[in-house]
Structure formats: C-alpha cells, structure tokens
C-alpha cells in the first residue's frame, strides 16, 4: 500500500498545486507525517486516508490505487469538453481579435 499510496498522493498534490504544508494544515496532521506519506516511509491509518482524500477531493480508493479517475480530472475533462463545444458552436461569430486572444491564452 505504501508505495502506491505515496505515488498517488504525490501526483495528486502536484496536479492540484497543493503543497505538503497546505495539505497538513487542511487535514489537521503534521507536515512531517505528510512528508513521510509522500516518501512512502509510513502508511496512514484508514481514517487519515479518508481525511486526506476529502481534502484533495478524491476517493480513498483512488489514493490506494483503485483504477478510477479522480473527481478533479473528471471535472477538468468536463470543463474542457464544455469549452470546446462552446468554441465550436460560436466560432463563426468570433471576431478576428477574439480568435487571436483565444490562441494567445492557449499559448501562454
């Protein structure tokens, strides 16, 4: 469990742009404990896994390696799909400067 959990925890923190310190504060656990979890040196208890999952907006199963997508990735994909559909639907009504602005935003 430790290695899988550690990898999922580290990747989810990076994906969400959250620091170990922020997770520790929000989950009411020590920064040292979070560091050990990320390194795979320690394994949290079940209740702690649930708290960490709640803070990160994922399921405990996801953190433990279950093959389900994280809710944040599902939400990101849904947002992308909606945005893509909106641009496709309205592309003919966009001015040239609006099109360049969209391209500029995507390039940065």
């Amino acid at each position: 469990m430790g290695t899988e959990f550690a990898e999922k925890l580290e990747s989810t923190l990076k994906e969400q742009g959250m620091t170990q310190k922020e997770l520790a504060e929000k989950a009411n656990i020590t920064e040292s404990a979070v560091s050990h979890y990320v390194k795979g040196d320690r394994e949290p208890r079940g209740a702690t896994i649930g708290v960490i999952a709640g803070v990160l907006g994922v399921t405990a199963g996801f953190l433990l390696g279950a093959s389900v997508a994280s809710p944040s990735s599902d939400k990101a994909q849904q947002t992308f799909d909606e945005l893509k559909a909106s641009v496709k639907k309205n592309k003919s009504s966009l001015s040239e400067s609006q099109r360049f602005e969209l391209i500029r935003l995507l390039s940065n």
Side-chain angles (χ1 to χ4, degrees):
M1 175 174 94
T3 305
E4 182 80 27
F5 177 81
E7 290 173 6
K8 291 287 189 177
L9 178 58
E10 183 176 27
S11 66
T12 304
L13 284 170
K14 285 181 184 176
E15 177 184 306
Q16 296 191 12
M18 185 181 293
T19 66
Q20 291 181 20
K21 182 178 183 174
E22 290 170 327
L23 174 60
E25 290 170 357
K26 292 178 180 182
N28 199 29
I29 55 179
T30 67
E31 199 173 336
S32 174
V34 173
S35 176
H36 284 293
Y37 300 154
V38 169
K39 290 178 190 174
D41 296 338
R42 290 189 197 158
E43 298 175 2
R45 296 178 186 206
T48 303
I49 293 171
V51 170
I52 291 170
V55 168
L56 295 173
V58 298
T59 65
F62 172 79
L63 289 176
L64 295 171
S67 59
V68 294
S70 71
S72 63
S73 4
D74 289 345
K75 179 67 175 162
Q77 184 63 48
Q78 180 182 359
T79 300
F80 173 76
D81 291 342
E82 290 169 359
L83 180 60
K84 185 175 148 185
S86 179
V87 169
K88 186 175 181 179
K89 178 181 176 184
N90 297 300
K91 69 181 178 183
S92 62
S93 63
L94 294 174
S95 69
E96 187 173 344
S97 65
Q98 289 171 323
R99 289 178 188 200
F100 281 123
E101 177 66 12
L102 283 173
I103 293 168
R104 187 187 65 75
L105 286 170
L106 292 170
S107 299
N108 291 332

